[in-house]
Amino acid sequence: MPLYLNSGREIVAPDLIGKDLAEAQNISRAYELGLVEDGKDFSNTAPPETVAMQIPSPGTILKPGRRIHVVVSRGPRPLMIPDVVGKSPVQAELEIKSAGLEVIDRRWKASDKYPRGIVAEQYPPGNQEVPENTGVILFIANGRRENNVVMPNLIDLSYQAAMETLAVYQFNLEKITVQHEEAPQLLPDTVIDQLPDPGVPTNTNAEIDLVVSTTK
């Protein structure tokens, strides 16, 4: 109910913040006040389609018949979230902050596409509008996804054939180390030895050492 002061029917302005427009109008009428909507604006505090701001402010002493001007919330201001996949976490966080957003979490993720320590995925995805208060999660590659396999026999294969075999088994070719050893009795670039040994259980992200023949 309206609160009248003792001196000449003065009214304490009601608090309309957070009320939808219909409710705000009903409250204003009950207080013998008018209501004018002055438009809509973005707000991080008031839900969409509710009063985000009023003038005079709540608690102001008014005369009956005065009008309260209100601005209705459009919800948080939408921002364009950048696409930071493939970038370092430091660079990704800088770009996200520059866009007015915040990284709220970092999580590890297995990835065949991105090396360890690089952003392999983000949520929400980049290049779209999101609310101003949206938190961004970065998924950081923790290394190539590992698949359990049995080490193939590469001995007596040419180096090229050995590499093709490892590629078929989906080994990480970046983790292969090659040493050369003189073996005049063999064709150049023949695999003489390997580690892990043939038939040993391993995974596709294992480090592999190859010894390859050379004539010099």
Side-chain angles (χ1 to χ4, degrees), residues 9-214:
R9 282 176 53 81
E10 291 177 327
I11 300 171
V12 176
D15 185 356
L16 305 179
I17 304 298
K19 307 291 194 299
D20 63 42
L21 199 57
E23 184 180 3
Q25 288 172 335
N26 290 335
I27 293 173
S28 298
R29 280 195 293 266
Y31 275 70
E32 301 181 29
L33 299 169
L35 185 74
V36 178
E37 180 188 347
D38 286 342
K40 296 183 177 182
D41 200 1
F42 297 108
S43 172
N44 289 330
T45 56
E49 303 302 324
T50 66
V51 175
M53 183 180 69
Q54 72 177 74
I55 299 176
S57 58
T60 301
I61 306 305
L62 304 175
K63 295 289 187 180
R66 281 284 304 275
R67 292 184 296 181
I68 298 178
H69 292 255
V70 298
V71 174
V72 176
S73 171
R74 297 175 61 182
R77 182 185 302 275
L79 297 174
M80 179 64 70
I81 181 172
D83 184 355
V84 296
V85 173
K87 300 181 179 180
S88 72
V90 172
Q91 181 63 33
E93 193 157 349
L94 285 174
E95 292 188 18
I96 288 168
K97 285 184 177 179
S98 295
L101 299 167
E102 181 182 0
V103 175
I104 60 172
D105 196 11
R106 294 185 183 189
R107 303 176 186 175
W108 290 109
K109 176 183 176 66
S111 174
D112 285 329
K113 186 175 181 180
Y114 297 99
R116 182 180 177 85
I118 297 299
V119 177
E121 187 178 337
Q122 68 181 83
Y123 183 83
N127 296 328
Q128 64 171 321
E129 286 192 341
V130 295
E132 189 173 8
N133 57 356
T134 298
V136 182
I137 300 174
L138 300 180
F139 295 87
I140 314 301
N142 64 354
R144 185 181 175 88
R145 182 180 290 114
E146 297 180 354
N147 296 316
N148 293 327
V149 295
V150 174
M151 189 68 191
N153 187 359
L154 307 175
I155 295 174
D156 292 334
L157 295 181
S158 68
Y159 171 73
Q160 181 177 350
M163 294 297 287
E164 291 173 353
T165 300
L166 293 173
V168 169
Y169 278 79
Q170 298 185 338
F171 280 94
N172 184 356
L173 302 185
E174 295 180 356
K175 290 197 171 185
I176 298 174
T177 301
V178 179
Q179 298 179 6
H180 290 88
E181 182 177 306
E182 288 189 23
Q185 73 279 14
L186 299 175
L187 291 174
D189 292 330
T190 299
V191 176
I192 302 171
D193 200 3
Q194 67 178 77
L195 188 68
D197 293 326
V200 171
T202 185
N203 63 74
T204 54
N205 203 34
E207 294 183 356
I208 298 174
D209 294 324
L210 298 180
V211 180
V212 178
S213 67
T214 179

